[in-house]
Amino acid sequence: LVRKIKKEAEEKVSTVAALLSTFLFHGIMAYQAAQPRLAFRFLFSVGVTETVLGQLPLARRRRTAFVVLTTIGATLLVAAFPYLYVSERSRLSGAALSIVWLLEAEALILIGVFMKEILFRRLGMIASLVLAVQMVFQDARRLVRLRDLAAIEFSDLPLAALMGVAALILYFDAHWVAKRWSRLIDTRLERWSFQGLSYLAGLMALVGLWAASNEPWMAVAAVLMALALAVAGCRFKILHLSIQAAGFAAIGMARYLAVNLGLETTLHHASLRLMTGAVVAALLYLASPWAAVSDLTKGKRVGESYTWAASFLVALLAWYELDAAAVALAWGLLGLVLFEAGMRIPSGPLRLQSYIALSAAFFRVFFANLNAEGYPGELSPRLVTVAPLVLLCFYVYVRLAEAREEWLDGERRLKAPELAAWLGTVTLLGLARFEFAPDFVAPLWACLALGLTALAWRTARPLFLHQGLFVAFASFFRAVLHNLYQRSYFPSPTLWLGRWFTVGTTVALLFMALPFAFRIRSAAKAEPEGAFLAFAATTLLVAFEMKKGWMTVGWGIEAVAVFLFALWVEERSFRLAGLGLLLTCAAKIAVHDAFLLEGPRRYMTFIILGAAMLGVSILYKHHRALLRRYL
């Protein structure tokens, strides 16, 4: 300080001399120390002396002297307190050391701001980094050892409070100080350093949450911190807070999946897994509107990821906490809630999540619910859990079909309304298949086909006509494969379960759908399929039920009836079907019946079939002009 510097080389010599003098002096004192507990007083006093000397006007006029003396002084002040911590007579704890370092670091940063001196600010940042290392690897490590010794997780509220204060101070420096005195921060390195303080504060906050929370509640605390950071980042337009919020949310979710999901303990007769999971999911939903990072290209996806994580967690909780039969219903209700939220906000990701939840519930029904058995005298669990899902699917269809908002155009192009309606119809088919007696499934499906066809005529929506045809085909194959084929080996125990009654009812219901099909033929010319199914089912029923030798007679009567019906409804396809069956009867007589039938059955077959063909010929001549229009 006293030496007068004239050249730059002389300044360098003075700098080296000052550093060597200080370091070697401290090295000798440490080597020859007779009382190590006095090291705190020694280092503290020398640090104060160096710092004061660095602030003298004589040092301020020489930049190098000011920097060297101030740096050495601040370093010694920070280094002095660990010796006080290890002193035998000391009553200070490691937390007290962290408090002192925290105050020193903050003092250096504020002095650098008020004095407009970058050196102090850099020293404060270095001290903050040293503080973080001390708190994480010393204070937190001590708590880890204590928890290991106790073999149980417990809270350390003083340490958590210290971590919280340190996090708040570092957040204050990183965002308020850096913004308030932004003109002072004119280098890229210093801007990065202030941003680093924000993430250092996040680390302190995470360790504080860990110290304050025992095992089940750490996930809740992390997501709660994510909510606070997301709100602050959105409110004050701070990118780094939003990024940290996403990190805390990810930590909370990972902690829950790794720890809480396997918990079987209860609190006040309530499952801790359910309690903590519900809170975590609610916080994620609550934080999602605030979580969008506007400064990023795809910042909105961050908020959407919150809702995806929350919905996945709710579905997972339903899987773990509910009975097997109730899981599908819970997923369906989740889909309904997400759908309504997505329609009201509006939010495409929420609606997409609802579609996935409903689809998962649909597949779950066929793996678990339809095989569920209840107790006698009570409602079947499959009826209680599956029937509401059918209503949910059709509710979603109606809402989407009647909505006119432009933001639903993409979902309309992807046929989301139609998909919801098909899920409801197929689920209803499955419920009827397992809930009622096997012999009544085909008539019930035919009744559903009749209802869908009538609904298609009433609403003028081709979707219901397509579903009606699909269900009609399913009813036909069910009647053929079960009621006709299987019952030929295992006869029905009662008349009501016989083939005449069940297949006849199916045929009648399919024919009853024809008036509605005729009225909508201009919109979709698909009505002959339903009639052909009834015609084919009747033909097979006659073949199975008529005694040997009388099948040809039954087919001939059926052919005449179909031909008369064709004249009544003026339908060319029915007329061709009747004529085709009549010709089949003639061929059967020539190839089979004429050689194998004997007695009354032979001549009765010839007489009845001949009369039928003669009657059809007469009708054909009398209605020639009418029939030519349908050729």
Side-chain angles (χ1 to χ4, degrees):
L1 288 178
V2 177
R3 182 186 182 190
K4 294 182 180 180
I5 301 299
K6 297 180 180 179
K7 298 180 181 179
E8 183 179 355
E10 295 177 353
E11 186 66 87
K12 294 180 179 179
V13 172
S14 296
T15 301
V16 174
L19 293 174
L20 288 176
S21 298
T22 303
F23 295 153
L24 295 177
F25 175 62
H26 284 84
I28 293 174
M29 293 300 294
Y31 178 74
Q32 296 182 344
Q35 294 181 329
R37 65 178 181 272
L38 299 179
F40 166 72
R41 299 179 184 178
F42 170 71
L43 293 176
F44 183 80
S45 61
V46 176
V48 171
T49 303
E50 297 273 4
T51 304
V52 171
L53 290 177
Q55 311 314 310
L56 295 178
L58 186 61
R60 300 284 291 185
R61 288 195 293 267
R62 291 168 53 189
R63 176 68 182 175
T64 304
F66 162 72
V67 170
V68 172
L69 293 174
T70 303
T71 303
I72 293 176
T75 304
L76 293 178
L77 288 175
V78 173
F81 285 95
Y83 290 94
L84 178 64
Y85 170 59
V86 300
S87 175
E88 296 178 0
R89 298 180 180 179
S90 173
R91 296 182 180 178
L92 294 177
S93 64
L97 174 62
S98 300
I99 293 174
V100 174
W101 277 0
L102 176 62
L103 295 177
E104 289 186 3
E106 184 63 15
L108 288 171
I109 291 177
L110 293 179
I111 290 172
V113 170
F114 294 142
M115 296 183 63
K116 299 180 181 181
E117 179 53 58
I118 190 174
L119 176 63
F120 287 111
R121 298 197 296 272
R122 289 180 177 177
L123 291 173
M125 292 176 185
I126 295 174
S128 300
L129 180 60
V130 174
L131 166 70
V133 174
Q134 151 68 20
M135 296 180 72
V136 172
F137 292 98
Q138 187 66 33
D139 298 339
R141 186 180 178 185
R142 174 180 55 83
L143 180 58
V144 171
R145 291 197 298 268
L146 292 176
R147 286 180 173 179
D148 288 342
L149 291 175
I152 189 174
E153 287 200 3
F154 57 89
S155 300
D156 189 343
L157 295 182
L159 178 59
L162 176 60
M163 294 287 182
V165 172
L168 288 175
I169 292 176
L170 292 178
Y171 277 131
F172 172 80
D173 293 337
H175 300 295
W176 192 83
V177 172
K179 184 178 181 180
R180 175 66 176 77
W181 287 279
S182 58
R183 294 182 180 179
L184 295 178
I185 307 172
D186 54 358
T187 64
R188 180 179 298 179
L189 177 61
E190 190 172 9
R191 285 194 294 270
W192 287 353
S193 299
F194 272 101
Q195 294 173 4
L197 288 181
S198 178
Y199 292 94
L200 205 59
L203 177 61
M204 295 291 99
L206 179 62
V207 177
L209 294 175
W210 169 79
S213 308
N214 54 16
E215 187 176 64
W217 299 99
M218 177 61 192
V220 176
V223 180
L224 187 61
M225 185 66 185
L227 172 61
L229 290 174
V231 173
C234 182
R235 175 67 178 79
F236 301 109
K237 307 298 182 183
I238 300 176
L239 170 65
H240 301 287
L241 292 184
S242 299
I243 294 176
Q244 292 178 49
F248 272 93
I251 291 172
M253 188 69 180
R255 173 77 179 189
Y256 182 86
L257 295 177
V259 177
N260 295 42
L261 200 59
L263 292 178
E264 298 293 342
T265 56
T266 59
L267 179 63
H268 300 296
H269 306 288
S271 170
L272 272 177
R273 175 172 56 203
L274 177 60
M275 292 174 59
T276 56
V279 174
V280 168
L283 290 174
L284 288 173
Y285 280 126
L286 187 60
S288 60
W290 309 90
V293 183
S294 58
D295 293 345
L296 297 181
T297 305
K298 297 183 178 180
K300 292 183 178 180
R301 300 289 178 86
V302 178
E304 296 171 3
S305 65
Y306 279 55
T307 61
W308 280 101
S311 299
F312 171 75
L313 187 56
V314 173
L316 197 61
L317 278 175
W319 177 284
Y320 275 88
E321 291 293 329
L322 299 178
D323 294 335
V327 173
L329 180 58
W331 287 354
L333 293 175
L334 172 64
L336 175 63
V337 173
L338 291 173
F339 177 77
E340 283 298 325
M343 292 291 287
R344 292 179 183 274
I345 292 178
S347 172
L350 288 180
R351 294 194 301 276
L352 179 58
Q353 294 167 36
S354 72
Y355 303 147
I356 294 177
L358 289 173
S359 300
F362 168 78
F363 288 106
R364 173 74 182 179
V365 160
F366 289 91
F367 283 98
N369 294 60
L370 293 181
N371 293 322
E373 296 291 343
Y375 296 99
E378 297 181 359
L379 285 176
S380 169
R382 57 175 162 252
L383 179 63
V384 174
T385 57
V386 177
L389 290 177
V390 177
L391 299 177
L392 289 179
C393 291
F394 280 107
Y395 173 78
V396 172
Y397 164 74
V398 172
R399 287 276 281 143
L400 289 175
E402 293 182 353
R404 294 294 179 265
E405 289 80 3
E406 294 182 357
W407 36 265
L408 289 174
D409 290 343
E411 291 160 52
R412 295 191 188 98
R413 287 194 297 269
L414 294 176
K415 304 297 182 181
E418 290 78 2
L419 175 61
W422 277 104
L423 291 181
T425 300
V426 176
T427 304
L428 186 57
L429 286 177
L431 179 61
R433 161 64 180 83
F434 286 90
E435 187 65 20
F436 296 93
D439 295 275
F440 286 121
V441 173
L444 287 172
W445 285 0
C447 184
L448 178 59
L450 171 61
L452 289 170
T453 308
L455 187 61
W457 166 73
R458 187 69 178 83
T459 61
R461 292 180 179 178
L463 169 68
F464 295 118
L465 179 62
H466 300 156
Q467 291 187 353
L469 292 174
F470 170 78
V471 177
F473 273 99
S475 175
F476 168 74
F477 285 108
R478 175 70 185 184
V480 171
L481 297 178
H482 176 80
N483 299 73
L484 294 179
Y485 178 75
Q486 188 172 356
R487 282 306 183 191
S488 63
Y489 294 97
F490 305 98
S492 58
T494 64
L495 177 64
W496 297 105
L497 299 178
R499 287 182 289 194
W500 276 113
F501 179 78
T502 55
V503 179
T505 303
T506 302
V507 171
L509 290 170
L510 292 177
F511 271 117
M512 288 172 63
L514 289 179
F516 302 105
F518 288 146
R519 295 186 180 185
I520 58 176
R521 72 169 69 191
S522 59
K525 296 182 179 180
E527 71 279 3
E529 285 83 347
F532 276 127
L533 293 176
F535 169 72
T538 305
T539 303
L540 292 175
L541 176 62
V542 171
F544 274 89
E545 287 296 315
M546 297 294 289
K547 294 181 179 180
K548 185 178 180 181
W550 296 103
M551 183 175 66
T552 308
V553 175
W555 280 359
I557 296 174
E558 180 188 357
V560 174
V562 171
F563 190 82
L564 293 175
F565 183 73
L567 295 178
W568 179 39
V569 298
E570 300 179 357
E571 180 58 47
R572 176 176 177 268
S573 59
F574 297 166
R575 179 177 60 82
L576 295 177
L579 291 175
L581 183 58
L582 198 60
L583 293 176
T584 302
C585 293
K588 185 175 182 298
I589 289 177
V591 176
H592 180 270
D593 297 346
F595 300 100
L596 298 180
L597 293 181
E598 298 178 356
R601 286 179 293 182
R602 175 186 292 181
Y603 61 76
M604 286 296 296
T605 301
F606 277 86
I607 291 173
I608 294 175
L609 187 60
M613 297 182 70
L614 182 61
V616 169
S617 176
I618 294 172
L619 290 173
Y620 198 95
K621 291 180 179 180
H622 282 217
H623 298 84
R624 182 178 301 176
L626 177 64
L627 293 174
R628 284 178 178 176
R629 292 188 299 172
Y630 304 108
L631 293 178

